[in-house]
Amino acid sequence: MRILLIEDNADLARSVLDRLALDGHAVDHAASLASAADCLAGAAYDLILLDITLPDGDGRAFLARQRALGADTPVIVMTARSAVSDRVGTLDMGADDYVTKPFDFAELEARVRAVLRRRGGAAANLRRYADLVFDPQAAAVTVAGELRELRSRELRLFEVFLSAPGRVLSKDQLNDRLFSYAEPVSDNAIEVYVARLRKKLAGSAARIETVHGLGYRLTGG
């Protein structure tokens, strides 16, 4: 999924970016609240990782403002503050989870997966469309009972289509979900990944249909 990391420590930010990229996520990095606001104005995110102490303000005030505006994007707060009162106060402000620095990256990855599963209502549920079955917890896709191996970006593209069956998704929308701002993207990147995904789903009753001039949609359910 697409994640916004708001963290002013460059070394920590790079480590988090690298680890989440290995999991197949597109991650944008903002080192300040002002940069984060610019990112949010230009893209939709599935998750925000939020530091508390930032050069231009308090991350908790940012979180409270987002919730007051009606934004429901899940937020995991990352901070060195470990007091129970800090954790409770941050959760009451609208945070979805809380991780204390220094943290183990495996723990952060697990918390990201858990929050994203809850976001999709799929903490323990399989997601089905036609003869496609997706297990979010195992990151496994089957076609008519046959397991198909999808690479990280193919899997992310599949999730995007599965979240909106029948809806036409433009190339720009798919680019926003698959790639971060920092990644170089070729003009035909979406065509390449759609072609790869079609091959992986070959034989399914569902199909990814090209809607000329508009984009693509998952249909056939």
Side-chain angles (χ1 to χ4, degrees):
M1 295 290 100
R2 189 162 188 175
I3 297 172
L4 176 60
L5 169 64
I6 309 174
E7 168 61 58
D8 65 328
N9 183 305
D11 291 337
L12 177 59
R14 174 48 54 192
S15 296
V16 172
L17 287 168
D18 290 345
R19 288 295 293 257
L20 293 178
L22 288 174
D23 286 342
H25 301 294
V27 187
D28 292 325
H29 173 223
S32 67
L33 295 179
S35 295
D38 290 340
C39 290
L40 289 168
Y45 292 94
D46 301 288
L47 176 68
I48 296 172
L49 299 177
L50 176 64
D51 187 19
I52 289 295
T53 305
L54 292 155
D56 57 347
D58 190 319
R60 292 170 299 181
F62 172 85
L63 170 61
R65 185 163 58 253
Q66 289 295 305
R67 295 299 186 241
L69 291 171
D72 63 353
T73 304
V75 175
I76 297 177
V77 168
M78 307 182 303
T79 179
R81 300 176 182 178
S82 59
V84 173
S85 59
D86 286 326
R87 296 200 300 271
V88 171
T90 302
L91 292 170
D92 284 344
M93 284 181 183
D96 294 83
D97 206 345
Y98 191 109
V99 61
T100 303
K101 299 177 183 178
F103 49 78
D104 187 285
F105 286 109
E107 178 188 1
L108 178 63
E109 290 169 322
R111 290 180 182 275
V112 167
R113 290 192 297 270
V115 168
L116 291 175
R117 286 198 302 270
R118 292 199 299 270
R119 172 69 166 176
N125 297 324
L126 300 179
R127 295 163 61 184
R128 304 174 186 272
Y129 183 77
D131 56 359
L132 302 173
V133 179
F134 174 52
D135 182 342
Q137 191 162 7
V141 176
T142 60
V143 175
E146 178 186 344
L147 183 66
R148 301 293 174 90
E149 183 177 348
L150 272 63
R151 296 183 179 180
S152 60
R153 197 151 276 164
E154 296 164 353
L155 184 64
R156 187 166 355 127
L157 181 60
F158 175 73
E159 287 187 85
V160 172
F161 280 119
L162 191 62
S163 68
R167 176 183 169 190
V168 177
L169 300 171
S170 69
K171 289 182 181 179
D172 285 343
Q173 288 174 314
L174 295 174
N175 266 321
D176 283 345
R177 299 302 296 274
L178 259 63
F179 304 102
S180 68
Y181 289 126
E183 292 179 276
V185 182
S186 64
D187 292 339
N188 67 336
I190 293 301
E191 289 95 329
V192 169
Y193 282 106
V194 167
R196 290 180 183 176
L197 183 57
R198 281 171 169 161
K199 288 182 180 180
K200 296 292 180 70
L201 302 181
S204 173
R207 64 187 184 278
I208 300 172
E209 180 181 76
T210 300
V211 182
H212 294 289
L214 296 176
Y216 304 92
R217 66 184 168 199
L218 179 66
T219 187

